[in-house]
Amino acid sequence: MPTLRDALSRTALSAADVDWLHRLVGDWQMLTDLAFADLTLWLPVQLDDEADPQLSPWFLAAHARPSTGPNFYHDDVIGRPPTPARERWLDETLTTGVTITPDELGYVREQYVPVVRAGRPVAVLVRHTDLHNMRQQGGLEVNYLQISQQLFAMVAEGAFPIEGAAIGVGRGTPRVGDGVVRLTADGLIDYASPNAVSALRRLGHTDQVNGADLSEIVTSRLVQGTSVDETVPLVLTGRAPWGTEIDSGGTNLTLRAVPLTRAGRRVGALILLRDVSEIRRRERELLSKDATIREIHHRVKNNLQTVAALLRLQSRRLTDPAAREALAEAGRRLSTVALVHDTLSQGLTEQVDFDEVAARMLRATVEVASTRTVVATELTGSFGSLPAEDATHLAMVLAELVHNAVEHGFEEQPEPAPGADRSSEQAAPRVVVDARRHRDGGQETIEVTVTDNGAGLPEGVAGPDRSGLGMQIVEALISDLRGAITWEAAKPHGTVVRFTVRLRSTSVG
């Protein structure tokens, strides 16, 4: 299905015209809700000389349905060619720049509105209303329709969309269904929808709404000492097309102002407002929970590092080399887990940027394991963002494999002979970790290769001794991640360890 961008590329419109139409479509949900009608945007397109003469020079490029009433079109109509009668009205509207409302359509009412920019029609906006299914008109419907006609007139004058208008005001941007207030040019309330009246009541206003000064209603209910954004007065009086938020004693209102003009003169304003108190309360709760979780991760990290330090201190008091080594290994493993919690304590989610963890872990592991040889490390590819539990498991596996590669692969590494090229990349001790992440259907997997150019495995041996605690930890964690691991000799020397893990699925709420 062609997009609006595709359709615009077939026109002779300038970049400024194209931007104008994008802004119109970006804000026309307000128009369709106020009009209780579907809206379609028709573009005059350029046809090739060899094109079929029966093809219409008009293209239906965009369509909006109201959320305030029944829809006119239930199927997708973008790209549908116009009927001969509609093509005639489109041509007339674009040529004359005058709004046309045909009267021979029975139970269907259509209004053809020229979309004007810089004094020149560039497209045609069509309003489609099914009179048979039209909402019974009361005070709300009459006022909404009046406001919509003012906005359509602004479209035909080139005054809508409004230059510098802010469509959104963050989470909780008000919509037509949330509350509508129409102001006079003096800022007095000419009409307020039932939802708007309820929002003002929750703000604390108990007097008559119609005829009241909206700015006075809101500002008189602000808590003393509350800082007020500089946009508030202009929004409350409808003088600027901006949005703002009011916080008054636990009640939060978002407001958006749309100045209404006629022939370039401001005649009033449309104010959309919404009570977002519950949304803001939940956001505050989430922020509090996020801060609590980050603090927990920070404390866990500190506790793990403290225990690791105590183990290192204790190991120095032992005379048995095996016991001393065991405590040092336990401290190193605790430090690896602490790295993950340190990363979690700095973010807002339970996801870990594992590339950062892996880089820090590589440096720390090599520094601990390499006592006689300087070993360079390199991280290629990308792990991406991982769930916290997967990140902890993967960090432990990598730490064990890299530690094993450095400790055993370069344990007997001889010193370079006098005069030898010490900067040679081939001869320099090196451990490379490569990560490749891909999705197979709905399952995400990571393939990791740990390569060193050390002494390598003894000839005829398929892998390391699995009786050691380190290898038992590696195999247990990889099994928990539903993965597999293999060892093989590297060329010309060294070891290559490959393993694949399947990530746990995470739901996005």
Side-chain angles (χ1 to χ4, degrees):
M1 184 182 73
T3 63
L4 177 59
R5 186 179 298 275
D6 296 332
L8 289 169
S9 67
R10 299 171 53 190
T11 69
L13 298 176
S14 66
D17 294 336
V18 169
D19 179 67
W20 185 264
L21 293 176
H22 274 297
R23 288 168 51 205
L24 173 65
V25 171
D27 203 18
W28 71 348
Q29 188 61 48
M30 176 175 61
L31 275 73
T32 187
D33 286 341
L34 287 168
F36 306 104
D38 285 31
L39 298 181
T40 54
L41 180 67
W42 293 82
L43 302 178
V45 297
Q46 292 180 313
L47 299 177
D48 298 333
D49 295 336
E50 300 178 358
D52 186 343
Q54 300 298 320
L55 286 178
S56 171
W58 287 94
F59 186 83
L60 201 169
H63 173 216
R65 298 182 177 90
S67 60
T68 52
N71 302 149
F72 183 84
Y73 288 117
H74 297 281
D75 298 327
D76 178 40
V77 295
I78 293 178
R80 183 181 295 183
T83 62
R86 175 166 291 159
E87 185 173 328
R88 184 176 73 251
W89 292 321
L90 291 169
D91 290 337
E92 183 178 348
T93 303
L94 190 71
T95 301
T96 63
V98 176
T99 298
I100 298 174
T101 305
D103 56 4
E104 66 265 26
L105 300 177
Y107 281 106
V108 175
R109 176 182 295 161
E110 291 185 344
Q111 186 177 20
Y112 291 74
V113 182
V115 180
V116 175
R117 193 196 77 81
R120 179 177 57 88
V122 296
V124 176
L125 185 67
V126 182
R127 170 188 172 188
H128 309 266
T129 306
D130 185 351
L131 298 178
H132 187 70
N133 292 319
M134 183 70 178
R135 288 173 50 152
Q136 184 176 356
Q137 293 193 9
L140 180 146
E141 286 76 15
V142 169
N143 281 279
Y144 277 21
L145 291 172
Q146 289 175 351
I147 297 171
S148 71
Q149 285 305 311
Q150 288 180 282
L151 291 172
F152 286 131
M154 290 172 62
V155 171
E157 290 180 356
F160 189 91
I162 302 174
E163 292 286 353
I167 296 175
V169 290
R171 257 178 74 88
T173 296
R175 301 155 297 186
V176 169
D178 297 317
V180 171
V181 172
R182 182 174 59 195
L183 301 180
T184 65
D186 297 325
L188 302 180
I189 297 177
D190 183 50
Y191 169 77
S193 69
N195 283 346
V197 173
S198 296
L200 295 176
R201 293 280 186 262
R202 285 191 287 275
L203 199 62
H205 180 73
T206 57
D207 296 333
Q208 180 69 23
V209 172
N210 284 352
D213 188 320
L214 178 63
S215 178
E216 184 179 336
I217 290 176
V218 174
T219 55
S220 64
R221 268 79 186 171
L222 293 177
V223 178
Q224 188 174 4
T226 302
S227 60
V228 178
D229 189 85
E230 60 184 8
T231 62
V232 169
L234 295 175
V235 171
L236 294 177
T237 56
R239 296 178 182 276
W242 297 337
T244 190
E245 181 167 339
I246 303 295
D247 183 357
S248 174
T251 300
N252 295 76
L253 293 183
T254 54
L255 301 98
R256 181 196 171 190
V258 181
L260 300 175
T261 62
R262 184 182 300 121
R265 184 174 63 89
R266 190 173 64 84
V267 296
L270 164 67
I271 306 291
L272 302 181
L273 72 162
R274 179 181 182 184
D275 184 350
V276 293
S277 304
E278 184 62 21
I279 293 176
R280 297 297 179 257
R281 185 188 66 80
R282 292 179 180 178
E283 288 178 346
R284 288 191 294 269
E285 286 185 353
L286 288 174
L287 287 174
S288 176
K289 289 178 180 177
D290 286 339
T292 301
I293 291 172
R294 290 199 303 275
E295 178 62 21
I296 289 172
H297 283 303
H298 180 70
R299 294 189 181 189
V300 169
K301 182 262 296 185
N302 288 344
N303 291 338
L304 289 172
Q305 289 180 335
T306 300
V307 174
L310 291 173
L311 289 175
R312 286 194 296 270
L313 288 173
Q314 184 65 36
S315 68
R316 294 169 188 168
R317 301 172 62 90
L318 298 176
T319 57
D320 186 348
R324 188 164 56 247
E325 178 65 20
L327 287 181
E329 289 289 311
R332 177 181 60 79
R333 289 166 184 140
L334 286 173
S335 296
T336 300
V337 179
L339 275 178
V340 177
H341 285 280
D342 185 34
T343 304
L344 286 169
S345 69
Q346 300 171 25
L348 294 174
T349 68
E350 284 294 287
Q351 295 287 113
V352 179
D353 179 5
F354 197 78
D355 292 327
E356 177 187 348
V357 172
R360 294 170 60 187
M361 181 275 301
L362 278 174
R363 291 192 298 268
T365 302
V366 169
E367 288 174 2
V368 172
S370 180
T371 56
R372 288 176 299 215
T373 306
V374 177
V375 180
T377 60
E378 182 181 358
L379 179 63
T380 61
S382 177
F383 290 92
S385 181
L386 305 182
E389 189 175 358
D390 287 348
T392 302
H393 283 31
L394 198 54
M396 290 287 291
V397 170
L398 280 177
E400 293 295 335
L401 293 177
V402 172
H403 186 271
N404 187 69
V406 174
E407 185 178 42
H408 299 292
F410 305 104
E411 185 177 24
E412 304 298 332
Q413 187 81 5
E415 286 293 322
D421 183 5
R422 293 173 177 263
S423 64
S424 171
E425 278 297 315
Q426 184 176 2
R430 192 177 193 82
V431 176
V432 179
V433 175
D434 179 74
R436 303 294 167 183
R437 182 169 178 167
H438 59 85
R439 178 180 291 274
D440 183 8
Q443 180 69 61
E444 279 198 299
T445 62
I446 297 181
E447 297 178 359
V448 183
T449 304
V450 180
T451 306
D452 68 76
N453 59 352
L457 296 169
E459 189 173 350
V461 177
D465 182 8
R466 286 176 167 78
S467 62
L469 178 60
M471 287 304 101
Q472 290 179 7
I473 290 174
V474 167
E475 293 188 341
L477 293 178
I478 287 181
S479 176
D480 190 47
L481 289 170
R482 295 170 299 160
I485 185 169
T486 61
W487 281 265
E488 61 184 75
K491 301 296 183 183
H493 55 80
T495 307
V496 179
V497 184
R498 291 189 176 89
F499 66 91
T500 303
V501 295
R502 294 180 174 84
L503 301 180
R504 295 171 175 84
S505 60
T506 56
S507 59
V508 179

